[in-house]
Each structure stands twice: as structure tokens, then as C-alpha cells.
């Protein structure tokens, strides 16, 4: 689906009053709502954010659909009831669909998308969730969770409602979407990724909030809440009887702790309620991630230490918001990875480690979304340390190691229980063999040096998973100053006529050689919340004057939110990496060099050994031609171009390419729409 399809519709699909429809009569709307309730409910459920949780998402979808009747026209019922005619039915369902879509989008984009407990429908003592689907439904659910509510709405209209692009754009505009064309573009790309099974998957059990399973809530916590509520009621009565009830404004009423209430935090911050995973679970579970880590260390039964760690977490949050990068508060030094919430756990976290490392008592906790490290020195007057980092969607690689201690330019790691072999290698010297890394009985490694300031040394962990979960799986992790090291992968250059290649582990000789040329880019990513970095060699070009071969590379650094930063360079035979300037200002997120941005084109200047100056450009494998205009004017067939020039590189250049089978023009990296000498 080309961009021109949507762009040409922008004016035609945006009438002056796109949301103006005749309101149906209440009786007609009720009849249509009952008939099409599952259809409308599936639409609302799909648009609402997965972050609500399955139970709240189901209830929110039901509440939105049931509330859609408000605003219908009241009509005096006729003596003889006449069923709504075809036109009236179509009018009513269109009106209800717009109401449901508008309400779901508003709820999804609010800071608090939906009330914690909608008045109706209300469910007490049970948790509701749709039936689990197969692998296809699960994969689609993950893809939908990574896109915006507007894209999910567009996807639902195209797939579930089977609307054409023009009609879907009108409805999205009426529902308040500011850029419906962009949402439809993203939905179309997602539909291409999912394939022809998109409709059958969306109509499966995973996305059906009408057919749900039930489970009881936490029975032990329910009993405890009952006791707490009774005690609180008695305390309130006693306080009122004594005449000492203070109704003045609380100076801390605006803090997060006042909104949550101390009683709510008590169960989650009790050491006795910490979750402890059985020792051998990792070898027989479908989730090989941090949830499979057992509690390790010599102080897992030290309730006083565990209580201090949990209390520090809760107390620090209760004192109000923290600076983005952390800080000090009440004798505790804070470090928070960008994008990580500092709120305390809503349920008891999982204990990963409690022990003494390098003269410091250390506790590692995990609450399914975050990893928390608490450290207190056993001697001296240094403050305790509390670090928080995101860990949602951690897997067998990104959940394979956590920093347990950091001191004197070195770090120790706690390795996952499924790691059989561990070593350290220097990314700058791929020809040197990896050095075996000693690991204690409870999974703590020997010290590993950090990256040298002059980039003369870039250490990386080379780990191998146990054959009990996967065969012959080794991978690289790099320490960038946060709790979880970064997973390094690479995508080799395309072969002649070969299909598109996928990212792979960088432990082969070719992968290590590739990363040796990009290792010095890693220190610039320190403490920025990066989860994984992939080096993609998107083009290989023969240089003029028999100057050898150049590799065009794109480094995509993704954070835990799924956002990415991209840097592009060309590796020339001299060993230098010539950077290609990117967009200014640098975007906070981009699809370039990722799953949904597989076309790439870039250009820069190069000086041959003879002193001659050339402008080089290259693109990904599907480019059939490249054109440069402005200070230079040339066109080349295929994915590479080289032009002799006498310029100094300051002249304006417009670089474009044409992908095979696509009429759209691909702009060079760093260029914005409308940029260029003849734009």
C-alpha cells in the first residue's frame, strides 16, 4: 500500500464536520447494541492499551461499550413496535462504532487511561481474562502492544471492520485522530508483517473479551485487607471519639504516598512475602527470563537486610518525584534508568539475590517490570545505593546477567542459572581469544573491567546457554553502566540475490570482526536505557581507483520502551569509520534500520589515497537506482554510486533512491521532506 493512497485522501477524507451524524433513537440503538455487542466490544478491547492488564482491560472495554448509549434520542414508543429498517440499523451501528472508538482512544491516550474500578460492570473477588490463544495470537498481541492506540484503531478498522482506507480515515478523523494517514500507514505495514492471517487471529480467543476465564484474587491478601480495613475502622472510631481528629490539610497530601496510602504498600514490602522461584524451574518453563531466576546468595534469609531494601524503595518514592538521572535523598544515593518508574511494587517482588559482595550487602529484586538493586556498605559512612532499571520483556539474552557490584572501574555480574559458560573478550581485538570468567557457586562472576576512557579496551561478556534449554547458543553482552548489560547482535551484508538477512549473534569470527570496527560507538550510549544494539551492514561498495571495499553500516540502539536511536557510517579500508550526518534535531524514535524500516540510503565524502575527492552513496539491497542532485548531478543504476568532485562537502546535496517494486522515493539518511536544493 503506497503512501500516495493515503496522502491523496487527506483533504477528501477530512470534511468540515466529520463527526456529524444523526443520533439514533434510544430503542433502535439498544437493539443494535445488543445485536452487535461482541463486535463493538472487540473493537474497544483492541484499542485500549495492554498496559491496563488483562482484567482491567476487559472491564474497561465492557464499560466503554455500555456507556456508548448515552446521547441517544429519547422517543415516545409507538403503540405498535416496528423493528428498525436496514438504513436505520446501519445508521445506528455507525453511530455506536464512532462513539466506542472515540471513547476508547480518549481512554488510551489519557495519563490514567481508565478508572481503577469502573462503577459498572463491577466484579468482586474474581479476575477476568480472555482465553489464551496460540503462538500467532501471542505474537500479534506483542506487535500491537508496541504501537500507539491510533495505529491499533486503524488496524482494527481495516481488518476487523473491513473498511477501505478512505472510510477508515474519515472515522479516525471523527474520533479525534490528528494524523489518520500516518496511523493507516503504520497499520498497513503491520498488516503486511502479520500476513493473510490477520483477520483470523484478531477473531481468535486471545482478543475476545466476551468469552473470558475467571480466577480468584489473592485470597491471602483479601483476608489481610479485611483485617486491615477492620483495624482502620476501629482506629477511626476511636480517634473520632477522642475528639482529636485533625481535619486540616495535610502538607504532604500532594505526594504520591498520600494518594496511595501506607496500608496499600504494606503487603508488598514485607520480606516474608517475597516471591522465591524454585531452583530448577528455569530448565522446565516456557518463560526463560528473570522470572525463572531462583533466590541466591548467603543472606536470602536475612529479613532485616531485606526489610531495609524494601523500606528504602518504598520510602524514597513516598518522598516525591526523583530527578530523572537520580540523586541523593535521606542518606540513599539513587540511580534511575531513563524511562523507569520509581513507584514501589504493587505486589510482592521476586528475590533474585541477597549476599555480601566486595564488602557491601547487596539485594536484587524483580517485580516483572523492573530490576532493583539495593546496596549498603558494611563499613564506613558511605550512603546506601538504590538503583532501578527497566526489565520488562527481558528474555534469555537480555535477562542473562545483572550487575551485582561496581567499584574501582570494575563490575561483577550475577549470571542467570541457565548460563553454562562465561568468558570475557575485548571487542577491539577480535583475534584475541576470550578469557574464561570465573563464577562462584551462587552465580557471581569475578571482576570485569569497564570500557577504557580512550576506547583502547571495550570488554564484553561472551556467554553460552545450557543445552537443557537451547543448543549451541552463545551471545555477547556489553556493560554500559546500568544494571542490565546490552545485547549485541549484527546483520551481515546482503549477498547477491539472497533474501533479506536477520540479526544474529555476533560471536562468529565475522561478527566479532564487524563489532571491532563499531566498538568505540558504545560508550556514547552509557546510562541511556539501551537494551540491545544491532550493527547492520546494509551495503558493500567497491571504491574508485581500486581503493578496496567499503562497508556501509547502521547501528540501531533500542531501549526498553522499543524506541531507537540510529547512527550511520561507512567503514573504509584504512580502518576509519566515516560518519554520515543524521537528522537534526535527532529524533527520539525512528523505524530506520529496524523491522519496519528495512530500506536505507546514505551518502558522504571520501578521499582516495591519490588525494582525489569523491562523493559516495549506497543503499540497501532493494534499491534499483540512486540519484544525487544539487552541487553534484549524477544517477547510477543499482544500490551504489561514486562521483568525482572538487567540492569541500559544504554544498547542499539531495540524495534519493528508488526501491524495487515501490513507486515511492527514498530520501538519503539525514534529509527531511522538502530538504534539498531543488525541493
Amino acid at each position: 500500500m503506497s503512501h500516495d493512497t493515503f496522502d491523496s485522501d487527506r483533504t477528501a477524507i477530512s470534511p468540515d464536520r466529520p463527526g456529524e451524524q444523526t443520533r439514533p433513537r434510544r430503542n433502535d440503538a439498544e437493539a443494535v447494541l445488543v445485536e452487535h455487542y461482541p463486535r463493538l466490544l472487540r473493537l474497544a478491547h483492541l484499542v485500549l492499551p495492554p498496559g491496563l492488564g488483562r482484567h482491567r482491560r476487559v472491564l474497561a472495554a465492557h464499560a466503554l461499550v455500555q456507556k456508548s448509549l448515552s446521547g441517544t434520542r429519547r422517543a415516545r414508543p409507538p403503540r405498535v413496535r416496528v423493528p428498525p429498517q436496514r438504513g436505520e440499523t446501519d445508521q445506528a451501528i455507525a453511530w455506536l462504532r464512532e462513539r466506542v472508538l472515540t471513547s476508547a482512544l480518549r481512554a488510551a491516550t489519557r495519563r490514567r487511561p481508565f478508572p481503577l474500578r469502573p462503577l459498572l460492570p463491577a466484579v468482586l473477588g474474581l479476575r477476568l481474562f480472555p482465553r489464551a490463544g496460540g503462538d500467532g495470537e501471542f505474537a500479534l498481541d506483542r506487535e500491537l502492544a508496541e504501537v500507539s492506540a491510533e495505529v491499533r484503531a486503524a488496524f482494527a478498522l481495516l481488518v476487523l471492520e473491513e473498511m477501505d482506507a478512505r472510510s477508515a480515515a474519515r472515522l479516525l478523523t471523527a474520533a479525534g485522530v490528528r494524523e489518520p494517514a500516518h496511523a493507516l500507514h503504520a497499520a498497513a505495514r503491520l498488516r503486511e508483517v502479520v500476513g493473510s492471517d490477520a483477520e483470523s487471529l484478531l477473531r481468535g480467543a486471545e482478543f475476545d473479551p466476551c468469552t473470558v476465564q475467571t480466577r480468584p484474587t489473592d485470597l491471602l491478601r483479601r483476608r489481610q485487607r479485611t483485617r486491615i480495613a477492620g483495624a482502620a475502622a476501629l482506629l477511626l472510631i476511636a480517634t473520632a471519639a477522642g475528639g482529636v481528629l485533625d481535619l486540616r490539610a495535610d502538607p504532604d497530601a500532594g505526594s504520591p504516598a498520600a494518594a496511595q496510602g501506607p496500608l496499600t504498600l504494606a503487603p508488598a514490602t514485607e520480606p516474608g512475602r517475597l516471591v522465591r522461584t524454585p531452583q530448577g524451574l528455569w530448565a522446565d518453563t516456557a518463560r526463560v527470563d528473570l522470572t525463572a531466576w531462583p533466590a541466591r546468595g548467603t543472606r536470602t534469609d536475612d529479613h532485616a537486610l531485606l526489610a531495609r531494601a524494601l523500606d528504602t524503595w518504598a520510602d524514597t518514592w513516598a518522598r516525591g518525584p526523583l530527578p530523572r538521572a537520580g540523586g541523593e535523598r535521606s542518606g540513599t544515593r539513587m540511580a534511575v534508568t531513563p524511562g523507569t518508574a520509581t513507584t514501589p511494587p504493587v505486589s510482592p517482588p521476586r528475590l533474585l539475590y541477597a549476599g555480601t559482595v566486595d564488602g557491601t550487602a547487596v539485594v536484587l529484586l524483580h517485580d516483572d517490570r523492573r530490576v532493583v538493586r539495593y546496596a549498603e556498605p558494611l563499613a564506613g559512612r558511605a550512603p546506601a545505593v538504590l538503583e532501578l532499571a527497566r526489565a520488562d520483556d527481558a528474555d534469555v539474552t537480555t535477562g542473562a546477567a545483572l550487575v551485582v557490584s561496581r567499584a574501582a572501574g570494575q563490575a561483577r555480574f550475577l549470571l542467570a542459572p541457565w548460563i553454562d559458560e562465561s568468558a570475557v573478550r575485548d571487542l577491539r581485538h577480535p583475534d584475541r581469544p576470550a578469557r574464561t570468567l570465573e563464577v562462584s557457586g551462587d552465580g557471581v562472576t569475578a571482576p570485569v573491567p569497564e570500557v577504557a576512557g580512550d576506547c583502547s579496551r571495550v570488554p564484553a561478556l561472551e556467554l553460552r546457554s545450557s543445552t537443557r534449554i537451547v543448543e549451541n547458543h552463545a551471545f555477547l553482552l556489553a556493560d554500559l553502566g546500568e544494571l542490565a548489560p546490552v545485547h549485541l547482535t549484527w546483520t551481515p551484508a546482503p549477498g547477491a540475490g539472497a533474501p533479506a538477512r536477520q540479526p544474529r549473534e555476533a560471536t562468529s569470527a565475522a561478527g566479532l570482526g564487524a563489532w571491532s570496527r563499531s566498538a568505540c560507538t558504545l560508550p556514547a550510549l552509557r546510562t541511556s536505557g539501551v537494551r540491545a544494539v544491532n550493527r547492520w551492514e546494509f551495503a558493500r561498495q567497491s571504491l574508485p581507483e581500486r581503493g578496496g571495499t567499503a562497508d556501509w553500516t547502521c547501528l540501531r540502539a533500542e531501549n526498553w520502551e522499543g524506541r531507537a536511536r540510529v547512527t550511520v557510517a561507512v567503514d573504509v579500508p584504512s580502518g576509519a569509520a566515516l560518519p554520515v550526518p543524521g537528522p537534526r534535531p535527532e529524533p527520539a524514535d525512528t523505524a530506520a534500520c529496524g523491522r519496519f524500516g528495512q530500506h536505507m540510503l546514505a551518502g558522504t565524502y571520501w578521499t582516495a589515497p591519490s588525494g582525489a575527492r569523491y562523493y559516495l552513496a549506497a543503499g540497501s539491497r532493494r534499491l534499483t537506482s540512486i540519484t544525487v542532485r544539487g552541487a553534484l548531478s549524477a544517477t547510477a543504476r543499482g544500490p551504489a554510486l561514486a562521483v568525482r568532485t572538487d567540492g569541500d562537502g559544504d554544498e547542499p546535496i539531495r540524495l534519493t533512491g528508488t526501491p524495487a517494486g515501490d513507486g515511492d522515493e527514498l530520501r538519503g539518511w539525514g534529509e527531511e521532506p522538502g530538504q534539498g536544493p531543488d525541493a
Side-chain angles (χ1 to χ4, degrees), residues 361-452:
V362 178
V363 177
L364 286 177
L365 303 169
H366 175 238
D367 73 343
D368 289 333
R369 299 178 300 134
R370 298 162 296 177
V371 173
V372 176
R373 175 180 175 269
Y374 172 79
E376 58 180 31
L378 301 182
R381 303 180 61 180
V385 175
L386 187 71
E387 295 180 74
L388 295 92
R390 289 187 62 163
D392 42 332
D393 295 329
D395 54 24
V396 66
T397 55
T398 53
L402 294 173
V403 171
V404 71
S405 173
R406 192 184 299 277
Q410 295 181 319
R412 293 181 187 265
F413 298 87
L414 180 66
L415 300 183
W418 58 81
I419 298 301
D420 265 1
E421 299 177 15
S422 57
V424 179
R425 66 164 55 253
D426 189 346
L427 293 180
R428 291 298 310 278
H429 302 283
D431 53 330
R432 297 179 183 176
R435 173 176 56 86
T436 301
L437 183 62
E438 296 182 0
V439 182
S440 67
D442 54 8
V444 178
T445 70
V448 177
E450 296 180 345
V451 178

Side-chain angles (χ1 to χ4, degrees), residues 170-541:
R170 287 196 184 98
L171 183 51
L172 290 171
T173 302
V177 177
R178 294 183 177 180
E179 296 182 341
H182 291 172
L184 288 167
H185 284 316
R189 289 197 299 268
L190 180 58
R191 191 173 189 176
E192 292 176 359
V193 171
V194 177
S196 58
D197 296 333
E199 182 177 355
S200 61
L201 293 175
L202 281 186
R203 299 190 187 279
E206 183 82 18
F207 303 97
D208 184 9
C210 279
T211 306
V212 297
Q213 293 179 309
T214 62
R215 290 289 186 272
T217 55
D218 190 333
L219 300 177
L220 294 176
R221 190 185 303 176
R222 192 191 306 175
R223 293 179 59 190
Q224 185 174 22
R225 285 175 176 171
T226 303
R227 297 194 196 100
I228 291 175
L234 291 175
L235 179 61
L236 181 61
I237 293 173
T239 305
V244 295
L245 184 61
D246 189 356
L247 299 180
R248 292 173 298 176
D250 185 355
D252 294 328
S255 69
Q260 179 80 8
L263 296 178
T264 310
L265 302 181
T269 56
E270 293 179 0
R273 295 177 61 90
L274 288 171
V275 177
R276 298 170 186 253
T277 301
Q279 287 289 333
L281 180 67
W282 63 270
D284 187 21
T285 179
R287 290 189 61 180
V288 185
D289 55 19
L290 291 168
T291 62
W293 282 37
R296 289 173 287 175
T298 58
R299 304 183 65 172
T300 55
D301 294 325
D302 188 339
H303 280 225
L305 172 63
L306 300 177
R308 288 195 298 274
L310 292 167
D311 290 344
T312 301
W313 186 1
D315 179 67
T316 304
W317 169 81
R319 293 173 178 267
L322 290 164
R324 180 178 178 183
E328 284 199 21
R329 179 171 293 147
S330 297
T332 301
R333 183 165 57 86
M334 297 290 301
V336 182
T337 296
T340 306
T342 59
T343 53
V346 296
S347 59
R350 178 174 288 98
L351 177 61
L352 304 181
Y353 181 84
T356 301
V357 183
D358 296 333
T360 302
V362 178
V363 177
L364 286 177
L365 303 169
H366 175 238
D367 73 343
D368 289 333
R369 299 178 300 134
R370 298 162 296 177
V371 173
V372 176
R373 175 180 175 269
Y374 172 79
E376 58 180 31
L378 301 182
R381 303 180 61 180
V385 175
L386 187 71
E387 295 180 74
L388 295 92
R390 289 187 62 163
D392 42 332
D393 295 329
D395 54 24
V396 66
T397 55
T398 53
L402 294 173
V403 171
V404 71
S405 173
R406 192 184 299 277
Q410 295 181 319
R412 293 181 187 265
F413 298 87
L414 180 66
L415 300 183
W418 58 81
I419 298 301
D420 265 1
E421 299 177 15
S422 57
V424 179
R425 66 164 55 253
D426 189 346
L427 293 180
R428 291 298 310 278
H429 302 283
D431 53 330
R432 297 179 183 176
R435 173 176 56 86
T436 301
L437 183 62
E438 296 182 0
V439 182
S440 67
D442 54 8
V444 178
T445 70
V448 177
E450 296 180 345
V451 178
D454 58 357
C455 198
S456 59
R457 179 189 68 238
V458 183
L461 298 178
E462 184 172 308
L463 307 180
R464 184 175 296 276
S465 300
S466 169
T467 55
R468 296 173 65 182
I469 61 170
V470 63
E471 293 184 4
N472 194 28
H473 179 227
F475 52 96
L476 294 180
L477 300 178
D479 178 20
L480 296 186
E482 297 176 355
L483 284 180
V486 174
H487 183 205
L488 303 181
T489 57
W490 79 298
T491 305
R501 300 191 178 185
Q502 300 299 318
R504 60 198 64 189
E505 303 300 349
T507 52
S508 64
L512 293 171
W515 263 110
S516 69
R517 297 187 291 275
S518 297
C520 288
T521 63
L522 293 176
L525 300 174
R526 286 182 62 87
T527 64
S528 60
V530 174
R531 174 188 181 187
V533 183
N534 181 58
R535 173 190 157 104
W536 175 32
E537 298 174 359
F538 64 87
R540 181 162 288 171
Q541 181 180 20

